[in-house]
Amino acid sequence: LYVYTAYFANDTGADGEGRWKVLEERGLWQPQWGVTDNEGEDTPKESGDIAGNPGTQSNDPGRFGVTSSGFYKFTFDVSGKKYTTTPYDASGAPDFTSMSIQGSSTETIAMTQSSFDSHIWNITSTRLVPGDLQFLTNTGAAWGGSTEFSGVATEGGTIPVVVEDDYEVWFNDLTGHYIMIPLNL
């Protein structure tokens, strides 16, 4: 089960705007996942069945989509072969001006804020050693979670780092979701 809450753009309503597919492997077009409709006949819907090439069919699936720009929660259930895309109210969310990681696993390292969505932060590669880390905001709040590699952070606590490696680190300050992807394992 995958959940992604963020800003999706569709300013004109054109067929190519506000559309996407899910790729299993970064940089590879196959396997890809989308909706059961054919591409071009794939009117954006809030929920439905997912289809994959080569998972459920030999031709490419249609695209997920939104009808207007805004924040949405996209849920992708691989085992149940279902998806939902629902509006998300981000109006009360804080707008942090900086974010970093810190802890016994690393020195303090600044994260990069997405130019597309100010609530998404990342580090493309950093060395982490066994220990712990937190996400530190410009307001001084520190966010941590109880699970290694991925989970949901809340204010306070630390995230365990159990394997030394170079990691790609992502943090969503809307929902607290984080993922730390080992790059060499």
Side-chain angles (χ1 to χ4, degrees):
L1 180 67
Y2 298 94
V3 178
Y4 180 66
T5 304
Y7 184 79
F8 290 81
N10 186 344
D11 294 328
T12 66
D15 183 52
E17 270 202 271
R19 303 301 187 90
W20 69 93
K21 292 185 182 180
V22 174
L23 304 179
E24 278 190 33
E25 295 185 45
R26 185 184 306 185
L28 298 178
W29 192 239
Q30 302 294 346
Q32 63 174 274
W33 294 89
V35 301
T36 55
D37 300 329
N38 293 324
E39 192 166 325
E41 300 169 4
D42 49 2
T43 304
K45 299 175 194 76
E46 283 195 359
S47 63
D49 295 326
I50 62 173
N53 177 3
T56 62
Q57 62 196 50
S58 59
N59 60 321
D60 289 346
R63 302 159 296 171
F64 303 104
V66 295
T67 57
S68 61
S69 295
F71 286 90
Y72 292 87
K73 179 180 178 182
F74 174 64
T75 304
F76 183 80
D77 182 352
V78 176
S79 63
K81 302 275 191 283
K82 300 280 186 190
Y83 76 94
T84 60
T85 307
T86 55
Y88 181 86
D89 182 5
S91 60
D95 282 319
F96 298 113
T97 58
S98 67
M99 186 77 60
S100 59
I101 59 171
Q102 67 175 12
S104 63
S105 290
T106 182
E107 60 190 47
T108 301
I109 299 173
M111 299 186 80
T112 301
Q113 187 177 40
S114 167
S115 61
F116 182 74
D117 181 344
S118 65
H119 297 285
I120 305 296
W121 302 84
N122 81 307
I123 298 172
T124 55
S125 179
T126 190
R127 189 75 174 176
L128 299 178
V129 297
D132 59 49
L133 66 79
Q134 297 175 307
F135 297 101
L136 181 65
T137 72
N138 61 285
T139 64
W143 292 58
S146 60
T147 55
E148 62 273 358
F149 302 112
S150 67
V152 179
T154 57
E155 199 167 338
T158 59
I159 299 167
V161 177
V162 296
V163 176
E164 181 174 354
D165 200 358
D166 295 325
Y167 285 82
E168 183 175 343
V169 180
W170 290 87
F171 180 62
N172 181 333
D173 70 43
L174 279 178
T175 63
H177 282 89
Y178 64 88
I179 188 165
M180 302 182 310
I181 306 165
L183 298 174
N184 301 308
L185 293 181

